Amino acid sequence: MNYNIDNKPLLDVQSLTVRFTVKRGGFFSEAKHLYAVDDISFQIKRGETLAIVGESGSGKTTAALAVAQLVKAYKGRVDLDGTDFLTLKDEALRLARSKMQFIFQDPYSSLNPRVRAEKIVREPLDNLGAVRDEERQAIVDKLFEAVGLHPEQQRLFPHQFSGGQRQRIGIARALATQPDLIICDEPVSALDVAVQAQILNLLRKLQADFGLTFLFISHDLGVVQHMCDSIAVMYMGKIVEYADRLSLFNNPLHPYTKALLSAVPTVDKKRRAETKRILIPGDPPDPLDLPKGCRFANRCPVAQDRCKSEQPILRELKSGHKVACHLVDENEVSPL
Amino acid sequence: MIQPLLKVQNLRIELTTRDGIAPVIDDLSFDLGAGESISFVGESGCGKSMTALGIMGLLPEKIGRIASGSINFNGEELTTVSQKRLRAIRGNDISMIFQEPMTSLNPVYTVGEQIAEVLRAHQGLSKAAAWNSAIELLDAVRIPNAKRRVSDYPFQMSGGQRQRVMIAMALACKPKILIADEPTTALDVTVQAQIFDLLNDLKRQTGTAIILITHDMGAVAEMAERMIVMYAGRGAEQGPVDQIIDHPRHPYTKGLISCVPHIVADLTNERNDLTEVAGIVPPLREFGQDRCLFASRCSMVSQQCLDKRPPEMKFEAGQSSACWHAEAV
């Protein structure tokens, strides 16, 4: 396995911005834009996992799609192993995509119902043509084994598999081109709890075996805690907090992260006794009419005047923990 | 001992399927006291929602029926009561909120009209009185500016607000039992926390008993006093929530608790593999067989499990487990 020891990240995303035009401008009216992802930057080292977490509408899935160029970025850079993805076009982009694969949320709608499992997994190889025809079957056999499916299941159609098995097919397909980076968009949210564990264990095993790098999109903080090395928390298109796993879960600094973590129900008695639930009132602001200051200010229990007038930037503290909140000082104590 | 509010005994619900008749609920018994909160847990297809529909008398017509057993509510036998009486009980005494707040509301009526309709139908209030009550109810479920929002249509509200409207409708007649079927599955976790907080407050204020149906052990731990773990239409384990989480007596319960990565106090760098419960819930045609239906997924399986359905083993504080090896779990 080829591990890069140097500090250069495998994926380096800088100032990524995605905007959707909600209303086109006319002669008398200005165009209206929605910034689903607003100037976010993050890095992932080879062999590690970064999670982007957030609630619906936070922009986490859009960010993932923009990294893979499945939606067009408005601004920014996406460097994968030194290649700027966003400047690639057509054939070059198609070939480069072999280095970046996607695992989708819904294993029921992300597999073609009329194609046999074997062909689904083989298709990326056929498309790229990098491997000789006669070698492809051997690769498919290996992939089926790696994701824990039987060789005789290759001839079956998607509807003959359970949800968990379908997700295994999706994973095998993603692995086919030997990608460096796999983007997992809520890979277990559609599955039953007992099946989730099977898939999460499989993903971790494959990561260890093949040195995979994951960009992991999820709203489930328990799953994120288990899977990731570092975590970026998004709120209304912005990263509000970005830290390694232990600092984020043991010492969340941003009031939103703190409320988010406190809201997760857990069976752990000690945590339930120690964590006071912080309820954040109201709803997120209208994404078409964002406030001038901090986007969380209208729901934040400790917001001050400054929060409403001045937008906080994501800044790095001494420990390397990054947070976008005016009220966090150098002592790294949450204001909440 | 005082009579519980709801007493379900040896309930058997049958569904007609292509492969014949399947017992989707097979010999289920439990009690619910006034003001108590219990929770049904299990994977999809284990009969959690079917139990709720059975109690409500809302089983799919011509396909599902209560084959045997009894559902006794406040001294009344619901399995034999007339449709008319059942309609009066539904909404007045027992009401239900559903998983999808998006699809359970009628899109062409304002939320106020929908809440008022409940009050007019069940309590015979006048139009004006019902409308005013609707505003009070919206206020009680903490919808800001209720007086204005009462004229909103469902599409003008967020998911969390719609679920609040559902709760307002369900609570309109001050029911004795509220059945919440995965009420927060479609919602974000901070909104879920708001809804749970609201349900707990309302329970304290009105003394309504709550039946929470969920697949999330964390939610059970926070919301319920007792739990019933369902597997393939049967009760696998019942008892006090804290006791079961500390010491489950059924391998399935144990699996459900440990297969989910939980956020714990003082997280460390150590990460172990999650416990896997291999396989999936058996298909309906295997329900009702005289053996342990969990055997095919169980690590403790023995010949006995394949030969005979396990009886209920009793433990202290009302904990019971339908497993031949319950002592050893």
Side-chain angles (χ1 to χ4, degrees):
Chain A
M1 211 42 49
N2 173 25
Y3 284 110
N4 267 347
I5 312 294
D6 63 58
N7 275 329
K8 223 175 144 292
L10 173 76
L11 180 74
D12 187 359
V13 173
Q14 292 293 336
S15 305
L16 185 66
T17 304
V18 181
R19 73 170 201 193
F20 298 114
T21 305
V22 180
K23 205 176 119 207
R24 259 192 240 150
F27 194 71
F28 296 108
S29 58
E30 246 175 78
K32 252 190 179 172
H33 299 294
L34 187 155
Y35 287 81
V37 175
D38 194 355
D39 192 12
I40 66 169
S41 304
F42 55 86
Q43 293 79 34
I44 318 178
K45 288 197 200 118
R46 193 178 282 272
E48 295 200 345
T49 303
L50 168 75
I52 301 183
V53 303
E55 299 185 280
S56 25
S58 63
K60 56 188 189 307
T61 295
T62 310
L65 292 171
V67 167
Q69 275 227 58
L70 295 173
V71 301
K72 209 170 151 18
Y74 171 62
K75 259 197 329 218
R77 274 181 77 88
V78 175
D79 272 13
L80 181 71
D81 213 5
T83 318
D84 184 359
F85 240 65
L86 299 188
T87 59
L88 297 177
K89 289 221 162 54
D90 308 330
E91 189 62 8
L93 175 65
R94 201 171 70 85
L95 292 175
R97 279 227 177 94
S98 68
K99 293 284 150 217
M100 191 193 280
Q101 291 288 308
F102 228 92
I103 297 171
F104 298 93
Q105 173 172 2
D106 185 0
Y108 293 86
S109 59
S110 58
L111 303 179
N112 186 340
R114 301 176 63 166
V115 176
R116 292 181 201 276
E118 156 198 59
K119 173 93 168 88
I120 291 175
V121 174
R122 188 194 159 95
E123 211 160 8
L125 297 170
D126 295 342
N127 280 344
L128 286 162
V131 186
R132 276 191 298 143
D133 212 355
E134 53 272 26
E135 287 166 22
R136 289 179 197 161
Q137 188 53 47
I139 295 177
V140 172
D141 291 344
K142 268 203 203 114
L143 288 168
F144 264 72
E145 197 192 323
V147 298
L149 291 171
H150 293 293
E152 55 269 27
Q153 289 175 307
Q154 289 188 17
R155 299 293 297 160
L156 301 180
F157 287 98
H159 73 91
Q160 292 167 295
F161 292 93
S162 68
Q165 288 172 326
R166 281 182 226 211
Q167 201 57 308
R168 286 174 197 267
I169 298 174
I171 294 170
R173 173 175 62 184
L175 290 173
T177 59
Q178 293 186 290
D180 290 321
L181 177 74
I182 296 188
I183 303 174
C184 313
D185 185 11
E186 305 265 12
V188 295
S189 342
L191 305 174
D192 251 322
V193 280
V195 183
Q196 284 192 7
Q198 300 165 10
I199 297 297
L200 293 176
N201 282 345
L202 174 67
L203 285 173
R204 273 170 56 89
K205 182 175 179 298
L206 294 170
Q207 179 166 41
D209 290 355
F210 300 110
L212 297 172
T213 308
F214 288 140
L215 174 59
F216 200 93
I217 310 296
S218 180
H219 70 280
D220 185 332
L221 288 145
V223 169
V224 163
Q225 174 275 114
H226 184 71
M227 295 296 289
C228 299
D229 301 297
S230 45
I231 291 121
V233 182
M234 282 187 78
Y235 185 76
M236 300 302 296
K238 286 268 186 205
I239 292 180
V240 296
E241 186 158 5
Y242 184 9
D244 66 82
R245 170 176 174 266
L246 286 191
S247 335
L248 192 107
F249 281 97
N250 289 340
N251 187 28
L253 294 175
H254 198 284
Y256 174 67
T257 313
K258 224 167 160 177
L260 189 66
L261 288 177
S262 82
V264 181
T266 172
V267 297
D268 188 58
K269 260 196 202 140
K270 185 153 179 263
R271 185 176 163 87
R272 261 190 292 149
E274 284 175 3
T275 319
K276 204 182 159 302
R277 175 158 291 171
I278 303 157
L279 288 179
I280 42 176
D283 290 301
D286 179 359
L288 284 170
D289 184 23
L290 287 169
K292 195 163 67 134
C294 174
R295 292 175 185 183
F296 185 58
N298 70 327
R299 307 172 75 191
C300 181
V302 291
Q304 297 174 359
D305 287 346
R306 185 182 171 198
C307 305
K308 289 179 179 129
S309 58
E310 189 187 329
Q311 194 171 118
I313 50 162
L314 189 71
R315 65 204 157 90
E316 186 164 347
L317 304 168
K318 253 185 268 151
S319 63
H321 198 124
K322 290 182 189 162
V323 65
C325 173
H326 293 309
L327 306 176
V328 176
D329 60 15
E330 288 312 307
N331 300 322
E332 307 198 6
V333 179
S334 174
L336 192 62
Chain B
M1 198 186 137
I2 33 164
Q3 179 75 11
L5 183 61
L6 180 75
K7 192 171 182 62
V8 172
Q9 274 177 307
N10 308 103
L11 183 67
R12 182 183 170 93
I13 296 176
E14 291 179 347
L15 276 194
T16 311
T17 70
R18 263 189 309 189
D19 301 326
I21 287 172
V24 282
I25 298 297
D26 188 2
D27 198 15
L28 179 73
S29 303
F30 69 94
D31 293 347
L32 173 69
E36 201 189 9
S37 59
I38 61 170
S39 191
F40 282 90
V41 235
E43 291 169 271
S44 338
C46 283
K48 309 184 299 281
S49 299
M50 214 38 96
T51 310
L53 294 177
I55 296 168
M56 293 289 283
L58 290 174
L59 290 172
E61 233 175 302
K62 291 187 182 132
I63 299 169
R65 66 180 194 105
I66 294 176
S68 61
S70 110
I71 302 172
N72 191 296
F73 170 71
N74 228 356
E76 230 173 320
E77 182 54 47
L78 295 190
T79 50
T80 51
V81 86
S82 70
Q83 277 300 321
K84 194 171 163 219
R85 176 72 192 127
L86 202 56
R87 252 201 312 278
I89 291 172
R90 269 198 305 257
N92 264 331
D93 294 318
I94 308 178
S95 57
M96 188 160 172
I97 51 178
F98 300 89
Q99 183 179 109
E100 275 287 336
M102 319 291 161
T103 50
S104 332
L105 289 168
N106 190 330
V108 299
Y109 290 98
T110 65
V111 297
E113 284 166 340
Q114 297 185 53
I115 301 171
E117 186 192 357
V118 177
L119 290 160
R120 294 177 66 197
H122 284 286
Q123 309 210 312
L125 293 189
S126 72
K127 211 168 177 179
W131 186 258
N132 286 332
S133 296
I135 296 172
E136 274 167 34
L137 280 161
L138 283 184
D139 205 43
V141 295
R142 299 186 204 142
I143 298 231
N145 206 351
K147 216 169 179 152
R148 193 169 53 79
R149 300 305 298 272
V150 72
S151 318
D152 275 4
Y153 288 90
F155 78 90
Q156 291 169 298
M157 296 192 145
S158 69
Q161 287 172 336
R162 278 181 257 200
Q163 196 58 290
R164 282 157 203 269
V165 171
M166 287 301 298
I167 293 174
M169 283 168 76
L171 293 176
C173 303
K174 303 193 175 59
K176 296 193 177 67
I177 301 175
L178 174 69
I179 303 176
D181 188 358
E182 305 257 11
T184 56
T185 309
L187 304 177
D188 276 323
V189 48
T190 55
V191 183
Q192 166 174 289
Q194 294 170 359
I195 299 285
F196 281 174
D197 189 60
L198 173 68
L199 285 175
N200 275 331
D201 268 5
L202 292 171
K203 179 175 161 248
R204 258 197 305 278
Q205 286 162 16
T206 59
T208 302
I210 294 180
I211 299 179
L212 175 73
I213 295 172
T214 179
H215 61 271
D216 180 353
M217 272 291 176
V220 176
E222 308 227 344
M223 288 295 291
E225 291 146 22
R226 281 191 306 124
M227 71 163 120
I228 300 167
V229 182
M230 298 281 296
Y231 190 75
R234 298 171 183 177
E237 181 164 8
Q238 311 197 7
V241 168
D242 286 340
Q243 190 175 323
I244 290 185
I245 287 173
D246 279 349
H247 197 166
R249 291 288 189 174
H250 196 290
Y252 182 58
T253 318
K254 201 173 169 185
L256 275 187
I257 295 171
S258 58
C259 71
V260 179
H262 289 281
I263 298 185
V264 297
D266 311 320
L267 205 63
T268 63
N269 264 323
E270 195 188 339
R271 269 180 280 184
N272 298 323
D273 271 354
L274 300 168
T275 317
E276 290 185 22
V277 186
I280 51 168
V281 179
L284 271 183
R285 62 173 179 276
E286 289 179 25
F287 279 40
Q289 293 175 355
D290 187 20
R291 61 183 178 91
C292 175
L293 291 171
F294 185 63
S296 58
R297 305 174 72 184
C298 185
S299 57
M300 301 176 79
V301 61
S302 67
Q303 190 56 43
Q304 198 174 18
C305 311
L306 304 172
D307 291 343
K308 192 138 189 64
R309 177 173 176 176
E312 247 179 31
M313 312 279 189
K314 302 258 184 241
F315 296 90
E316 68 275 16
Q319 187 177 359
S320 66
S321 160
C323 171
W324 286 110
H325 304 292
E327 292 281 356
V329 177

